Amino acid sequence: MKNFTKIAIATAAIAVATSAIAQPKPEAFVKHRQSAFALMGWYFGPMGAVAKGEKPFNKDEATKASMLVATMAKLPFDSFPAGTETVGNTGALPAVWSNNAKFKELATKLATETDTLAKLASAGDEAGFKKQFGVVGGTCKACHDDFKKK
């Protein structure tokens, strides 16, 4: 019986410690989402120059940048849990939480549209890439218009 009690106490202690470790602080969520958005912007800029005709289309560069953006587009949206609305220097509007269904819909659309952009780039479809870049930009703008502070 004494061993069972010790095992039960040890198991409970590990469970409490694990749940404490597994739950990041609100500031970490804000940092995570801001980092993902910053990286998307980092790779989005050069693709914009290609889409505007300011820089020549390079299949390898476009593929790399668009695949990274497609990956990043899937990362930030789980980092908006309740309790992070006013943490740190967040650019998120309260609508992220009050109209979360639309926010998630736009997040899903962004993931889909960036995947399409990456496929067009890897196929070497310059015209399709340029057109799709505009679609992705419009998706970003739709989210910024409703869910990001100006």
Side-chain angles (χ1 to χ4, degrees):
M1 186 69 162
K2 288 182 183 181
N3 285 339
F4 177 76
T5 303
K6 288 178 185 178
I7 291 171
I9 291 171
T11 302
I14 289 170
V16 169
T18 302
S19 67
I21 291 170
Q23 191 65 291
K25 293 183 179 184
E27 296 82 8
F29 285 105
V30 175
K31 185 179 277 190
H32 178 266
R33 66 191 187 220
Q34 288 175 342
S35 296
F37 287 130
L39 282 170
M40 276 195 291
W42 178 267
Y43 291 101
F44 208 71
M47 289 190 297
V50 171
K52 293 177 189 174
E54 298 168 354
K55 184 178 172 184
F57 178 81
N58 176 297
K59 178 183 172 184
D60 293 336
E61 289 176 9
T63 299
K64 178 182 175 184
S66 60
M67 289 179 124
L68 288 167
V69 167
T71 298
M72 290 297 129
K74 295 167 184 69
L75 296 178
F77 297 100
D78 287 335
S79 293
F80 288 89
T84 63
E85 300 90 339
T86 59
V87 174
N89 189 19
T90 183
L93 290 172
V96 168
W97 295 272
S98 65
N99 193 358
N100 197 256
K102 182 177 180 186
F103 181 70
K104 287 182 178 181
E105 177 185 317
L106 288 171
T108 300
K109 182 173 178 164
L110 180 64
T112 300
E113 300 299 354
T114 56
D115 283 344
T116 300
L117 183 69
K119 287 175 187 167
L120 291 165
S122 66
D125 183 349
E126 181 178 354
F129 174 84
K130 288 179 176 182
K131 183 178 179 183
Q132 184 63 19
F133 182 85
V135 173
V136 172
T139 304
C140 291
K141 183 182 179 324
C143 198
H144 286 206
D145 287 349
D146 292 342
F147 299 106
K148 187 175 187 296
K149 294 176 186 172
K150 306 290 184 236

